[in-house]
Amino acid sequence: MSRGGRHAYGALSVLAAGALVLTGCSKGGSDSGGNDKKDRDSAKRQQASIKFGDAAASNGPAPDVPGAKSGGTMEVLQRDSYAHLDPGQIYVSDEMSLSQLIHRGLTGYKATSNDGSKHEVVGDLATDSGTTTDGGKTWKYTLKDGIKFQDGSPITSKDVRHSVERLFAPFINQGPTYLQQWLADTPGTAYRKLLKDGPYKGKHLPSSILETPDAKTIVFHFKTAHPDLPYALAMAGYSVVSQKGDTKQKYDKSPVVAGPYKVQSFKSGKSMVLVKNPNWDPKTDPIRHQYVDQFTFQFNQQYETSTKALLADSGADQAGISFNNQVDAGNLSQVLRDPKMKSRTVSGYQPYVGQMNINMSHKAMQDKTVREAIAYALPVTPFVRAYGGTDAMEVAGGLISPTVSGYDAAFDPWGKKEKPAGDAAKAKELLKKAGKLNMKLTFGYINTPEGQQYSTAMAAGLKKAGFNVQRQEIPAETFYDQVSKLDNNYDIFHTAWGADWPSASTVIPPLYDGRVIADGAQNYSQINDPKINSEIDRINKITDPVKSAAEWEKLDQYIVKDSVNVVPTAYYKQTQIAGSKVGGLVYDDVIGGVDPRRLFIK
């Protein structure tokens, strides 16, 4: 998933339970002196597997949050407006946080502790997390009684079928593609051939692939075993869509939802109001609560603005929070070290890895020597500093996060952990060798205070190495939509990606498989390397999670060191703050931030 833009994740396959070799963060970690052990523990914990819950665990209502009360209006201060509300288009972290309140899928993550650290995958709309008798080739789900959309219509297997089949339609191009590829038994974008126009021209997936024998039953048939299906189905991108209420592209701004809240109003870029969905039945939902009467969102609230408002803690801000904004760099150190703020602050390690993409579709970027010059020259210190220093970031060497099995703390081919300011001299030598001194480099950056800060300093570092850098701003709300266009003007641009569950199989294939290159897809650098493609196919067939983790890390190192289509920058941490009247505040490892499902007003 993307950040800041993207992602929240699940967990490694149930086959991996107890089999992981856990490796924490070491070199390149925080130097703040107070959070190293907490960070290491958080990273290790997130590598562990999450079990599949049975029917009993899937029963509602969700366990009560200690001290919870009902009623009131909660203010939500957000930097970015939501580009997508259609589940099929959701693959960005802030939209995934929102989806916890409005959307439901066949499965979901149930918190089994009050600190956000323990979970199990349970049946959400389904009676359990799924049953398979052949190792994951066939999965059966049965829908619960009493589940409805916001308009009161019952949710049936026809809606689930429609939700799956519409993912093959051309206009759905921003969400995850695991399920589609598994059903089509093909990598990349070739899955679209299975149902070219989705269900909109009267065609459907055959019952040999997707079976709905009655109103309550859904059966998935795969040619290859996919024991991770319950994790995939828990993603926001696979939430249910109303067949009757599907308005295709218009659904993206006005969805018919099944969660505890519905959208009362949405003014893109300005505001949103969520109110209680009267047709949500807590008896059917083991995951969510409906304590707050109304959530009022204000967009375009930068990190510094939201932090100052919540620190001031007056008026509506006392019952205020941000689902995704972090404490800004200027206040982070103070907030973390103030004992009085402890009850209003949550922190944790996120699954995201920042990376500077080098656009391989541009001819000038196809010169490997030029890419190596970018890799050496790029300073990561400005990026880390813009978000609050080592309390907020850890300098990255590779593309696999400390929260994901296979992470290698020693890997650092471009010397970023030793020289985070970059090596301009080495880069200039390479540019001279390539005869490309003073070549133009268009740097697309996210138009936020942090983006402006780090892009300016990064551009200065690249200029020092001999590049003629031209910065171009990209609006935050549509940043990922813009950089995922095949025909974009940017030679380099920064994105962040987090594993969908702690396996690099949810990192490397979506980002670097050349067969997924398409408008809206997540292969942002547009790398199409036959070795990467073939290695993805080979490693995906390895069933031993420890062996596959080791092989993914080898491929990670080949991508960073030999393909040089991206330059890793940082591993993410997150600190968030809330008003003094906000209850139920915890950092949830799966969401990668505040858990909005348990919030209440004191």
Side-chain angles (χ1 to χ4, degrees):
M1 59 188 160
S2 302
R3 184 195 190 274
R6 238 179 251 250
H7 266 168
Y9 64 76
L12 204 59
S13 166
V14 70
L15 299 176
L20 298 180
V21 177
L22 303 180
T23 57
C25 317
S26 52
K27 190 176 181 182
S30 172
D31 60 9
S32 62
N35 295 318
D36 282 346
K37 186 178 186 303
K38 181 181 176 183
D39 289 340
R40 286 195 298 270
D41 290 346
S42 173
K44 287 183 179 181
R45 183 176 68 239
Q46 292 184 53
Q47 288 186 11
S49 66
I50 297 177
K51 73 173 185 177
F52 296 160
D54 58 15
S58 304
N59 289 332
D64 289 334
V65 175
K69 300 176 182 179
S70 294
T73 296
M74 186 167 289
E75 173 189 72
V76 185
L77 304 175
Q78 293 285 111
R79 186 191 72 182
D80 302 335
S81 182
Y82 300 115
H84 303 288
L85 301 181
D86 183 331
Q89 301 281 56
I90 291 178
Y91 212 177
V92 180
S93 59
D94 51 358
E95 293 162 5
M96 295 182 84
S97 294
L98 176 71
S99 72
Q100 303 292 333
L101 295 177
I102 63 175
H103 292 308
R104 297 181 68 180
L106 288 177
T107 65
Y109 289 95
K110 175 182 177 180
T112 56
S113 66
N114 281 314
D115 63 358
S117 67
K118 296 179 182 178
H119 303 82
E120 60 183 324
V121 176
V122 298
D124 183 3
L125 295 173
T127 55
D128 56 30
S129 57
T131 57
T132 181
T133 56
D134 55 8
K137 285 187 176 182
T138 307
W139 284 93
K140 179 181 179 182
Y141 289 90
T142 303
L143 294 176
K144 293 174 179 175
D145 296 327
I147 51 175
K148 299 177 182 179
F149 288 109
Q150 68 181 61
D151 61 3
S153 60
I155 299 171
T156 72
S157 62
K158 288 184 179 180
D159 295 299
V160 177
R161 171 181 280 279
H162 182 78
S163 302
V164 173
E165 291 180 338
R166 71 192 297 273
L167 298 171
F168 292 83
F171 75 92
I172 299 292
N173 60 9
Q174 293 289 327
T177 58
Y178 301 110
L179 181 59
Q180 300 94 298
Q181 291 172 348
W182 295 350
L183 289 169
D185 196 37
T186 185
T189 59
Y191 69 84
R192 291 193 184 274
K193 298 177 183 178
L194 186 62
L195 194 64
K196 187 177 179 181
D197 298 301
Y200 298 108
K201 292 187 177 179
K203 294 184 178 180
H204 298 281
L205 294 174
S207 58
S208 59
I209 292 176
L210 179 61
E211 191 177 359
T212 50
D214 55 52
K216 293 280 188 182
T217 307
I218 302 101
V219 185
F220 295 95
H221 297 281
F222 304 116
K223 291 182 180 179
T224 306
H226 292 289
D228 286 354
L229 181 64
Y231 299 122
L233 292 177
M235 298 174 66
Y238 295 127
S239 299
V240 68
V241 168
S242 166
Q243 181 181 24
K244 181 179 72 173
D246 185 1
T247 52
K248 299 178 72 174
Q249 287 92 332
K250 292 180 181 179
Y251 201 82
D252 217 8
K253 298 301 180 185
S254 184
V256 180
V257 302
Y261 294 89
K262 62 180 181 177
V263 180
Q264 182 184 73
S265 65
F266 177 38
K267 297 178 181 178
S268 184
K270 295 181 180 179
S271 64
M272 171 184 275
V273 176
L274 298 184
V275 295
K276 287 185 175 182
N277 173 9
N279 285 302
W280 172 79
D281 185 351
K283 294 178 183 177
T284 70
D285 196 331
I287 297 171
R288 304 166 189 82
H289 297 281
Q290 198 187 48
Y291 294 130
V292 179
D293 285 341
Q294 179 174 294
F295 290 93
T296 59
F297 292 72
Q298 295 178 34
F299 301 120
N300 295 314
Q301 303 295 305
Q302 301 298 332
Y303 295 162
E304 182 179 8
T305 305
S306 61
T307 300
K308 285 183 175 179
L310 296 174
L311 280 173
D313 197 38
S314 63
D317 295 328
Q318 288 184 297
I321 196 169
S322 178
F323 290 171
N324 304 95
N325 282 20
Q326 61 201 61
V327 175
D328 72 293
N331 287 291
L332 182 57
S333 180
Q334 175 190 344
V335 167
L336 287 174
R337 287 154 184 78
D338 185 350
K340 296 178 183 178
M341 296 305 303
K342 190 172 183 179
S343 65
R344 296 208 279 136
T345 306
V346 293
S347 299
Y349 231 108
Q350 295 192 305
Y352 305 106
V353 179
Q355 50 205 273
M356 186 65 76
N357 298 270
I358 302 174
N359 193 336
M360 300 290 284
S361 72
H362 291 185
K363 187 175 181 180
M365 298 299 103
Q366 292 168 8
D367 186 329
K368 185 178 179 182
T369 305
V370 169
R371 302 199 303 274
E372 290 175 338
I374 293 171
Y376 276 115
L378 188 73
V380 298
T381 303
F383 185 77
V384 173
R385 184 183 297 123
Y387 289 97
T390 52
D391 284 325
M393 299 276 178
E394 174 186 338
V395 174
L399 302 166
I400 295 179
S401 164
T403 66
V404 174
S405 181
Y407 164 70
D408 182 357
F411 181 58
D412 185 27
W414 307 112
K416 298 304 178 187
K417 295 183 181 183
E418 295 294 337
K419 291 184 177 181
D423 190 337
K426 177 70 173 176
K428 185 167 280 190
E429 286 179 17
L430 289 169
L431 276 185
K432 285 181 179 178
K433 176 184 174 183
K436 298 292 179 65
L437 270 177
N438 298 314
M439 71 170 287
K440 183 180 177 182
L441 195 63
T442 302
F443 183 174
Y445 71 94
I446 188 167
N447 190 21
T448 63
E450 293 77 19
Q452 293 165 4
Q453 180 181 332
Y454 75 67
S455 65
T456 300
M458 281 180 158
L462 291 164
K463 287 178 181 177
K464 187 177 178 182
F467 289 99
N468 175 16
V469 185
Q470 305 295 319
R471 293 164 60 247
Q472 287 190 9
E473 66 179 46
I474 306 171
E477 179 183 354
T478 59
F479 180 81
Y480 277 92
D481 290 349
Q482 296 299 317
V483 300
S484 64
K485 289 181 178 178
L486 294 185
D487 185 18
N488 68 63
N489 297 323
Y490 318 118
D491 294 316
I492 60 172
F493 51 90
H494 192 275
T495 60
W497 186 267
D500 291 308
W501 48 93
S503 166
S505 66
T506 67
V507 175
I508 290 176
L511 290 183
Y512 312 114
D513 188 333
R515 296 160 294 187
V516 304
I517 294 174
D519 275 324
Q522 290 77 45
N523 186 335
Y524 301 117
S525 65
Q526 300 186 47
I527 180 72
N528 190 5
D529 183 325
K531 179 174 179 178
I532 296 174
N533 299 347
S534 63
E535 281 294 278
I536 285 171
D537 291 344
R538 180 183 70 83
I539 300 169
N540 267 330
K541 295 175 183 176
I542 299 174
T543 57
D544 184 313
V546 176
K547 289 181 180 178
S548 66
E551 293 304 302
W552 285 125
E553 176 55 28
K554 289 179 185 177
L555 186 52
D556 165 23
Q557 297 191 10
Y558 171 79
I559 293 168
V560 175
K561 187 172 60 176
D562 298 305
S563 288
V564 204
N565 56 296
V566 292
V567 184
T569 57
Y571 305 127
Y572 285 61
K573 305 170 190 176
Q574 178 93 328
T575 296
Q576 293 171 268
I577 188 174
S580 60
K581 291 185 179 180
V582 174
L585 183 68
V586 299
Y587 182 94
D588 188 274
D589 283 348
V590 167
I591 295 171
V594 166
D595 183 351
R597 303 167 300 188
R598 53 181 287 129
L599 295 174
F600 64 90
I601 298 174
K602 297 178 182 177

